[in-house]
Amino acid sequence: FAQHISDECKRRFYKNWYRCKKKAHTRTGQKWADEEGKKSIEADFDKMAKYCTVIRVLCHTQPKTLQAEGRRRPTSWKIQINGGEIPDKITFARSIARETYQC
């Protein structure tokens, strides 16, 4: 449901990045472009609030900012959001999306 997925993150989805056609998640950004797509995304969030029992967020590092030599693929995690009701968890997950955190 991300509006923009960086190439660093897309690199994680391919075994051979340099030989692939780089088509992963190309349609995800297009959904945010028109009103019908935004309505379908909101409908998906409503379905998540109604039927899901666990909410997890996919996070990844940014190797360009880490100054890691020779490292191109990001490390990724699925983080479970705990506490509160499911709609509160979804609201929290959407509020922290696209933010950068320092360790």
Side-chain angles (χ1 to χ4, degrees):
F1 297 108
Q3 186 173 2
H4 171 74
I5 299 174
S6 67
D7 285 341
E8 294 171 335
C9 185
K10 288 180 188 175
R11 185 182 286 271
R12 175 52 73 186
F13 299 116
Y14 290 102
K15 186 173 183 179
N16 292 317
W17 177 254
Y18 63 94
R19 286 196 312 192
C20 70
K21 295 183 180 180
K22 299 172 182 65
K23 295 293 282 183
H25 303 285
T26 54
R27 291 185 287 155
T28 55
Q30 294 172 356
K31 275 190 171 182
W32 289 93
D34 60 345
E35 290 300 318
E36 186 175 318
K38 289 180 183 179
K39 288 179 184 177
S40 71
I41 290 171
E42 289 299 325
D44 290 339
F45 282 124
D46 292 339
K47 286 180 187 176
M48 288 170 56
K50 186 174 181 181
Y51 297 112
C52 291
T53 56
V54 177
I55 302 297
R56 290 188 177 99
V57 179
L58 180 66
C59 303
H60 69 89
T61 59
Q62 296 175 337
K64 289 182 182 178
T65 60
L66 290 176
Q67 304 292 331
E69 293 182 23
R71 181 103 176 140
R72 292 184 180 172
R73 281 187 138 181
T75 305
S76 59
W77 301 273
K78 282 192 291 188
I79 300 174
Q80 182 173 331
I81 299 176
N82 294 321
E85 298 295 322
I86 297 296
D88 299 332
K89 293 178 187 182
I90 293 170
T91 304
F92 176 73
R94 291 181 77 179
S95 70
I96 64 169
R98 303 282 303 154
E99 291 187 20
T100 303
Y101 296 97
Q102 298 277 333
C103 294

